[in-house]
Amino acid sequence: MESKMSAIRILLADDHTIMRRGLRLLIESQPEFCVVAEASDGRQAVQQAEATMPDVAVMDIAMPNLSGIEAAQRIATAQPATAIVILSMHSDEGYVLRALKVGAKGYLLKDSAEGDLIEAIKAVHQGKTFFSPEISKMLVEDYVREIRARGTEDTYDLLTSREREILQLLAERQSNKDIALALNISVYTIETHRRNLHEKLNLHSLAELILYAVRKGIIS
Amino acid sequence: MESKMSAIRILLADDHTIMRRGLRLLIESQPEFCVVAEASDGRQAVQQAEATMPDVAVMDIAMPNLSGIEAAQRIATAQPATAIVILSMHSDEGYVLRALKVGAKGYLLKDSAEGDLIEAIKAVHQGKTFFSPEISKMLVEDYVREIRARGTEDTYDLLTSREREILQLLAERQSNKDIALALNISVYTIETHRRNLHEKLNLHSLAELILYAVRKGIIS
DNA sequence: CCAAAAATACCAGCCTGTTGGTAGGGTGTT
DNA sequence: AACACCCTACCAACAGGCTGGTATTTTTGG
């Protein structure tokens, strides 16, 4: 019998022959990987994907005839079983976003460590996602940015750090119970803090607190 | 000379002794890892972190005395060189968000594959981030959702003029009773309209409605 | 060390919003 | 006539926030 499970079948799409060569060598340095098709533009990529039904498609984002993104979209739609890894020189939000929206499971920068490509292929083949550290960082930062507190003036200065913390959680629409659990303190204590917030800010409902938080840039 | 670079020094914090044991075994199965300290609550974790200056701190989110999050915050502030991996049973957005905000570099669910912890420790030690697949998925979805929400907005068109009127009054912080009086209709009718707003906009609280109104420019 | 501030905790009662139903009357379309 | 949609109206049950108290422990600063 076979000593290993069947190899991961890979489609490689990049308009630069040299790049493709390099990638192929890199990929096939792993015994469990097998490049079953190559394409030098988007349209070919879609055709090859149909013909060979690869497990993973590794594609450049910038290709003639049909862009990598569009090709990715068609492949993702027609063959959901094929996981797509985008290889790109760009770390712009726009590119990443579009790639994710069309269903790419991984996004790698071309200057990644070579090990990352190996990792990425394995990851997406297991249904996970994989991103270059820079991309990952960007995703996280974007996520956090929305909610991060900054503004410090007038009444806000009156608040203790605990109160600010609770204000933020309230603004994130967490209930007293949620907050109590998260901070590992009693619901009653949250009530007290809330009352102090009401008093210090001269606001007397959750709605007002949330609007205050919006104005302060604590949320959205 | 040494055949390997010096080991990664790890602090382990979890209130359950058994869990700690298991984690320690798991971690020390890797020769390049070395657990240099253990803590069974948040305060101890902070102390141990100060005393041992570990490269990586692996900590549970729910601990007595000082929550894992709070402990993480203090450690991240006092020792930026220590990368923090949060271990948690919860995949709630709120928890993840808070962990990221206080500076955690990784977030793992307790039911992760054991390999993930190894990977996570290596990743954060290299300055990368690492998340359980579920968490990663959530971050990505959240990211895509946020951006898409800006591009395509049409839900507002679904509302009838009466519903818009009521939405506005709600956004002005008028109560059901106020509105009923102002429009000379029953409180029950307001309740119905409100429910329809909830359904059509897929929002389910006054707070959400008000935030929606802010985004739409209906108020402030 | 002492006083003030902050954080914690509890209870009871009231008010409001939320959600599950249900339903009649008006209007406009097919 | 049948249908869809909107506006209106009602009830009951439940969840949660808001406010009035009170009180202990921990932290902070002079």
Side-chain angles (χ1 to χ4, degrees):
Chain A
M1 71 179 223
E2 294 252 341
S3 64
K4 57 177 181 191
M5 64 192 113
S6 59
I8 299 180
R9 303 173 63 256
I10 297 168
L11 162 64
L12 201 51
D14 193 311
D15 51 342
H16 305 296
T17 309
I18 308 278
M19 189 73 189
R20 235 165 40 233
R21 274 294 146 74
L23 288 173
R24 179 164 203 150
L25 282 176
L26 176 56
I27 289 172
E28 299 201 318
S29 72
Q30 301 297 110
E32 69 269 42
F33 291 172
C34 173
V35 175
V36 294
E38 285 189 20
S40 60
D41 69 40
R43 208 168 297 282
Q44 270 185 39
V46 176
Q47 285 163 359
Q48 291 285 13
E50 266 174 37
T52 62
M53 301 280 282
D55 298 305
V56 177
V58 176
M59 43 202 321
D60 186 5
I61 211 166
M63 287 192 293
N65 216 334
L66 195 67
S67 86
I69 292 283
E70 291 223 43
Q73 179 155 41
R74 300 197 188 177
I75 294 172
T77 309
Q79 278 131 245
T82 297
I84 296 168
V85 176
I86 296 291
L87 255 182
S88 167
M89 292 181 308
H90 310 283
S91 60
D92 309 47
E93 262 203 322
Y95 285 104
V96 180
L97 173 67
R98 291 199 329 124
L100 293 173
K101 276 174 67 177
V102 303
K105 295 295 189 299
Y107 194 108
L108 276 186
L109 297 182
K110 283 197 171 174
D111 57 2
S112 298
E114 27 181 82
D116 280 1
L117 179 58
I118 309 296
E119 261 188 274
I121 293 175
K122 286 183 185 164
V124 299
H125 184 242
Q126 285 165 41
K128 300 182 191 172
T129 52
F130 189 93
F131 304 97
S132 283
E134 295 91 324
I135 305 297
S136 195
K137 188 157 161 281
M138 197 188 77
L139 291 173
V140 171
E141 278 172 356
D142 186 86
Y143 179 75
V144 173
R145 191 187 328 128
E146 305 285 329
I147 302 123
R148 173 173 296 151
R150 19 178 192 276
T152 43
E153 311 146 63
D154 53 306
T155 48
Y156 193 62
D157 298 326
L158 291 176
L159 305 184
T160 67
S161 69
R162 193 53 148 178
E163 285 161 355
R164 281 180 203 150
E165 188 177 17
I166 286 170
L167 173 58
Q168 165 141 18
L169 295 170
L170 287 171
E172 286 159 16
R173 273 84 81 212
Q174 299 208 42
S175 69
N176 282 351
K177 204 193 288 178
D178 294 338
I179 299 174
L181 276 171
L183 301 185
N184 203 28
I185 56 181
S186 157
V187 176
Y188 296 117
T189 306
I190 311 294
E191 278 179 10
T192 302
H193 283 308
R194 220 162 153 158
R195 257 186 293 184
N196 292 336
L197 282 169
H198 286 167
E199 202 175 317
K200 287 184 178 177
L201 302 177
N202 194 31
L203 302 172
H204 299 277
S205 72
L206 176 58
E208 301 285 353
L209 285 180
I210 289 186
L211 283 173
Y212 177 84
V214 169
R215 286 192 204 102
K216 284 291 170 197
I218 294 168
I219 49 166
S220 93
Chain B
M1 68 181 225
E2 294 252 341
S3 64
K4 59 178 182 192
M5 64 194 112
S6 59
I8 299 180
R9 303 173 65 254
I10 297 168
L11 162 64
L12 201 50
D14 193 311
D15 50 341
H16 305 295
T17 310
I18 309 278
M19 190 71 190
R20 235 163 42 231
R21 274 291 147 75
L23 288 173
R24 180 166 203 146
L25 283 176
L26 176 57
I27 289 172
E28 299 201 319
S29 72
Q30 302 297 111
E32 70 270 42
F33 291 172
C34 173
V35 175
V36 295
E38 285 190 21
S40 59
D41 69 41
R43 210 168 296 281
Q44 270 184 39
V46 175
Q47 286 162 358
Q48 292 285 15
E50 266 175 38
T52 63
M53 301 281 282
D55 298 305
V56 177
V58 176
M59 44 200 322
D60 189 1
I61 210 165
M63 287 192 294
N65 215 333
L66 195 68
S67 87
I69 293 282
E70 293 220 42
Q73 179 155 40
R74 300 197 188 178
I75 293 173
T77 308
Q79 279 130 246
T82 298
I84 297 168
V85 176
I86 296 291
L87 255 182
S88 167
M89 291 181 308
H90 311 283
S91 59
D92 310 46
E93 263 204 317
Y95 285 104
V96 179
L97 172 66
R98 298 210 344 117
L100 293 173
K101 278 184 54 190
V102 303
K105 295 294 189 300
Y107 194 108
L108 275 186
L109 297 183
K110 283 197 170 173
D111 57 1
S112 298
E114 27 178 82
D116 280 1
L117 179 58
I118 308 295
E119 261 187 272
I121 292 175
K122 286 182 184 165
V124 301
H125 183 241
Q126 285 166 42
K128 299 181 191 172
T129 52
F130 190 94
F131 304 96
S132 284
E134 296 92 323
I135 303 296
S136 196
K137 186 157 162 283
M138 197 187 78
L139 291 174
V140 170
E141 278 172 356
D142 189 275
Y143 176 78
V144 172
R145 192 184 334 120
E146 288 288 325
I147 312 257
R148 186 160 26 206
R150 284 172 208 155
T152 55
E153 329 185 311
D154 36 46
T155 46
Y156 192 62
D157 300 330
L158 292 176
L159 305 184
T160 67
S161 67
R162 193 55 147 180
E163 284 161 355
R164 281 179 205 154
E165 189 177 12
I166 287 171
L167 174 57
Q168 164 134 25
L169 295 170
L170 286 171
E172 286 162 11
R173 274 83 80 209
Q174 300 209 42
S175 70
N176 282 352
K177 204 193 288 178
D178 294 339
I179 300 174
L181 276 171
L183 301 185
N184 202 28
I185 55 180
S186 157
V187 175
Y188 297 118
T189 305
I190 312 295
E191 277 178 11
T192 303
H193 283 307
R194 222 162 150 157
R195 258 186 293 184
N196 292 335
L197 283 168
H198 287 167
E199 203 174 317
K200 287 184 178 177
L201 302 177
N202 194 30
L203 303 172
H204 299 277
S205 71
L206 176 58
E208 301 284 354
L209 285 180
I210 289 186
L211 283 174
Y212 177 83
V214 170
R215 285 191 206 104
K216 284 293 173 193
I218 295 170
I219 48 167
S220 88

